[in-house]
Amino acid sequence: AQSVSQHNHHVILSEAASLELGCNYSYGGTVNLFWYVQYPGQHLQLLLKYFSGDPLVKGIKGFEAEFIKSKFSFNLRKPSVQWSDTAEYFCAASLGSSYKLIFGSGTRLLVRP
Amino acid sequence: GAGVSQSPSNKVTEKGKDVELRCDPISGHTALYWYRQSLGQGLEFLIYFQGNSAPDKSGLPSDRFSAERTGGSVSTLTIQRTQQEDSAVYLCASSLDLARSSYEQYFGPGTRLTVT
C-alpha cells in the first residue's frame, strides 16, 4: 500500500544542534512532497514543499529538505535548531495527480534551551 | 487575511448521538478537504470537494460519516450514531484551484471530538 514513513517518533536536541528528520514514501510514480509543522496549541502549517525542479527545497524558518528519488526520501534538515522549533513535524505526500495528502506518523521534536 | 476556521473547537457527545462539525475555508479557495487526526491512525484523509464536482468520499470510514458543502464555501461534516472510535481531532483544509501546479493545503485549528 502507498504510505509515508517517518523513522523517528521522538527527537530531543539541544539548541544549536543540527536536525535531520527522515521521511520515506512508497510509490513508484510522480509525487509531490510536503513537510508540515504543528507548534504546541497551533494548527498545521506548511514548512516547505517539493513539486518538481531543484530537489533541494528551502522553506520557512531556515528549514530545507532534499528529495532523493532513488531513495524515495524527503528528509528535513536544519543546521541549528532553536528552542522555538519544538513542535511536531509531519511529512506528507500526494501521489500522481491525486490531491489527497498521505501523512507520516509525525515526529515530536523537543529542543532543550 | 482570515485562515480556515472550524467550529466548535471542542465537542463532547454521548455514544449514539449525531454531531455536526463546521468548516469555513479561506475565501476564494475552491478545494476543501476533511482529515482526521487520531492517536491510533495518525492523520487520515476523509473527503474532498472541488468546485461543483462530485466529492471524493473514498476516505470516509463508514456510512455514518457524510459531508456537504453548500454554495461552494462552508462545509459540514456529519457523524451519525457516534462511536467511541470516532473520537479524534477533525481537521479541515482548503486550497486554491488544483489546476495550479503549486497548490498547498491550509489547515484549520480542528475540532476535537470526544465520544463518551
Side-chain angles (χ1 to χ4, degrees):
Chain A
Q2 295 148 358
S3 64
V4 175
S5 301
Q6 292 182 242
H7 318 297
N8 313 101
H9 297 293
H10 292 89
V11 173
I12 301 175
L13 295 173
S14 298
E15 276 195 317
S18 64
L19 170 72
E20 181 160 3
L21 302 182
C23 173
N24 287 88
Y25 62 93
S26 60
Y27 183 69
T30 303
V31 292
N32 299 316
L33 295 159
F34 308 80
W35 276 97
Y36 280 86
V37 61
Q38 189 168 29
Y39 297 104
Q42 297 187 28
H43 54 273
L44 279 168
Q45 301 172 41
L46 183 68
L47 268 181
L48 47 77
K49 62 191 177 190
Y50 172 80
F51 278 76
S52 63
D54 188 344
L56 184 61
V57 179
K58 294 191 183 298
I60 61 171
K61 305 188 180 185
F63 286 90
E64 65 178 31
E66 185 174 13
F67 170 54
I68 303 179
K69 189 174 181 179
S70 61
K71 295 185 178 180
F72 299 90
S73 70
F74 190 57
N75 291 355
L76 181 71
R77 300 194 292 249
K78 186 171 184 178
S80 176
V81 294
Q82 301 172 314
W83 174 80
S84 57
D85 293 324
T86 293
E88 188 161 16
Y89 293 80
F90 294 91
C91 182
S94 63
L95 311 178
S97 59
S98 175
Y99 37 75
K100 309 173 197 180
L101 289 179
I102 300 173
F103 283 88
S105 56
T107 298
R108 289 184 182 272
L109 171 66
L110 172 63
V111 179
R112 291 179 169 156
Chain B
V4 177
S5 60
Q6 293 185 245
S7 61
S9 55
N10 282 283
K11 176 72 177 179
V12 180
T13 190
E14 292 180 353
K15 178 181 173 181
K17 300 285 189 183
D18 298 352
V19 295
E20 286 188 350
L21 311 179
R22 177 188 167 102
C23 172
D24 282 274
I26 293 172
S27 177
H29 281 193
T30 58
L32 185 147
Y33 315 76
W34 284 96
Y35 294 86
R36 178 169 71 172
Q37 187 174 21
S38 56
L39 280 177
Q41 303 297 325
L43 271 155
E44 308 169 277
F45 166 82
L46 296 177
I47 188 170
Y48 155 78
F49 297 89
Q50 169 60 39
N52 295 321
S53 303
D56 180 340
K57 306 177 183 180
S58 60
L60 294 179
S62 78
D63 58 8
R64 296 186 295 105
F65 287 71
S66 63
E68 62 178 21
R69 189 178 185 191
T70 54
S73 181
V74 171
S75 177
T76 302
L77 177 69
T78 300
I79 309 173
Q80 295 178 309
R81 306 181 302 282
T82 52
Q83 304 294 313
Q84 288 185 331
E85 60 263 28
D86 299 335
S87 296
V89 177
Y90 289 82
L91 296 172
C92 178
S94 70
S95 70
L96 290 168
D97 186 345
L98 291 183
R100 295 172 183 243
S101 62
S102 61
Y103 81 95
E104 65 181 80
Q105 297 181 26
Y106 294 82
F107 283 81
T111 294
R112 182 176 297 277
L113 175 66
T114 304
V115 181
T116 61

